[in-house]
């Protein structure tokens, strides 16, 4: 969220007034007919028809193969996905964090640690030399078919965003902060606890425009209906995670110790969430 937007609840209210119903939470229906706040594009599908892929924007994702031909046993399900829907030059640093949390080195895409869990990921990245914020599509209007289907098949979605310190409500002189949102209260709690323990400032108050509480938000379109988690990370905090914040190649190649502390805290939260879910009699019993 690198630019100001109208209240998401206000946007939702106007959409409800204009239409009797909306898409199923896990469906692949088209996005709303009006752009949100200052967005130029009404949805990803609108962006894809008006901007040029490979020049203005790029999409990158990885869905891991699931295969079971053993009639006697069934492996544990793949539960989590990581998203950076405003990656690249739109909300800088979120692509690299997405890859790191998913378990991959941002510069080479090699696994960070052999044998460690890896997660599905999806990113839309701004590629322009300037004006990338024009490519912003609000999270509740993300209708990319791969992103939607990935969220719909995941018990947990962690969506990474960027914001300013002012938008986050960071105290004067302490701009490096993260706002934890999303509809899954337990996931929010785990993320907040792990990030705080790692030394990061997690802000309370959950500002309305950053709290990710709309059911239509891509992070909340999950398999179980519990919703997911959303992190809004201030510019100053994102800058502090890299030796060189300018340019995608520089960011990917200059991740520092603070970057990996942030990544590990998020991965710890995902692992704890998955362990609790797998301990249930049913994934849908919550």
């Amino acid at each position: 969220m690198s630019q100001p937007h109208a209240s998401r609840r206000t946007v939702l209210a106007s959409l409800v007034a204009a239409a009797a119903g909306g898409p199923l939470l896990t469906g692949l229906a088209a996005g709303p007919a009006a752009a949100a706040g200052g967005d130029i594009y009404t949805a990803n599908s609108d962006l894809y028809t008006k901007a040029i892929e490979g020049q203005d924007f790029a999409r990158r994702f990885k869905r891991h193969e699931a295969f079971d031909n053993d009639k006697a046993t069934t492996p544990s399900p793949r539960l989590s996905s990581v998203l950076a829907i405003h990656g690249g030059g739109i909300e800088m640093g979120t692509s690299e964090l997405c890859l790191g949390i998913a378990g991959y080195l941002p510069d080479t895409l090699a696994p960070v640690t052999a044998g460690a869990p890896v997660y599905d990921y999806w990113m839309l990245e701004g590629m322009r030399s300037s004006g990338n914020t024009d490519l912003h599509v609000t999270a509740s209007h993300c209708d990319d078919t791969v992103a939607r289907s990935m969220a719909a098949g995941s018990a947990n979605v962690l969506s990474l965003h960027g914001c300013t310190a002012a938008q986050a409500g960071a105290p004067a002189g302490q701009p490096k902060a993260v706002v934890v949102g999303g509809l899954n209260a337990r996931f929010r709690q785990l993320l907040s606890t792990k990030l705080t323990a790692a030394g990061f400032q997690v802000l309370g108050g959950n500002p309305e425009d950053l709290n990710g509480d709309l059911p239509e938000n891509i992070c909340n379109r999950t398999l179980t209906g519990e919703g997911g988690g959303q992190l809004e990370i201030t510019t100053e905090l994102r800058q502090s995670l890299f030796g060189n914040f300018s340019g995608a190649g520089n960011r990917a190649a200059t991740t520092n110790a603070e970057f990996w502390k942030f990544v590990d805290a998020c991965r710890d939260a995902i692992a704890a969430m998955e362990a609790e879910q797998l301990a249930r009699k049913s994934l849908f019993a919550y």
Side-chain angles (χ1 to χ4, degrees):
M1 177 177 177
S2 55
Q3 57 185 346
H5 301 289
S7 164
R8 293 174 183 174
R9 290 194 178 93
T10 301
V11 171
L12 179 61
S14 67
L15 294 172
V16 170
L24 293 173
L25 296 188
T26 57
L28 302 178
D39 285 351
I40 293 174
Y41 302 101
T42 62
N44 286 65
S45 54
D46 183 38
L47 168 66
Y48 298 161
T49 61
K50 296 175 181 176
I52 301 173
E53 188 163 12
Q55 177 176 308
D56 297 308
F57 70 92
R59 286 176 281 182
R60 288 195 285 165
F61 66 88
K62 185 177 182 69
R63 304 186 78 165
H64 297 84
E65 182 181 26
F67 177 74
D68 177 18
N69 199 35
D70 188 331
K71 296 179 180 179
T73 62
T74 297
S76 297
R78 186 171 295 279
L79 295 180
S80 302
S81 295
V82 189
L83 308 180
I85 69 172
H86 305 141
I90 306 173
E91 293 171 358
M92 294 187 294
T94 58
S95 291
E96 293 77 18
L97 284 167
C98 176
L99 289 166
I101 295 168
Y104 295 94
L105 295 171
D107 54 345
T108 66
L109 301 185
V112 175
T113 304
V118 289
Y119 305 113
D120 292 354
Y121 64 81
W122 185 91
M123 299 179 288
L124 183 135
E125 300 175 289
M127 297 179 62
R128 295 172 176 172
S129 58
S130 63
N132 282 291
T133 55
D134 289 346
L135 301 170
H136 183 284
V137 174
T138 194
S140 58
H141 292 191
C142 178
D143 65 350
D144 182 274
T145 54
V146 175
R148 284 274 189 97
S149 63
M150 191 176 289
S154 302
N156 310 302
V157 173
L158 179 59
S159 187
L160 305 164
H161 295 258
C163 66
T164 66
Q167 288 168 335
Q174 301 179 57
K176 293 191 289 186
V178 56
V179 176
V180 180
L183 278 180
N184 190 318
R186 179 56 178 158
F187 198 18
R188 290 198 313 270
Q189 181 184 45
L190 288 168
L191 287 163
S192 297
T193 299
K194 299 295 186 181
L195 286 165
T196 299
F200 297 100
Q201 179 182 198
V202 176
L203 296 178
N206 214 357
E208 179 185 343
D209 282 350
L210 302 186
N211 60 18
D213 66 348
L214 290 181
E216 293 81 5
N217 186 315
I218 188 68
C219 80
N220 295 323
R221 295 176 176 267
T222 58
L223 175 67
T224 63
E226 294 174 270
Q230 176 176 289
L231 299 182
E232 291 273 5
I233 311 163
T234 64
T235 304
E236 291 80 2
L237 177 51
R238 283 177 283 127
Q239 288 175 330
S240 74
L241 306 180
F242 303 89
N244 189 336
F245 194 59
S246 65
N250 291 330
R251 287 193 299 275
T254 63
T255 56
N256 59 27
E258 290 297 294
F259 176 94
W260 294 107
K261 280 171 59 178
F262 194 98
V263 163
D264 288 344
C266 293
R267 286 177 60 83
D268 287 347
I270 292 172
M273 188 74 236
E274 289 190 348
E276 292 182 10
Q277 290 165 328
L278 291 172
R280 300 171 183 171
K281 290 184 178 179
S282 166
L283 184 60
F284 299 93
Y286 57 90

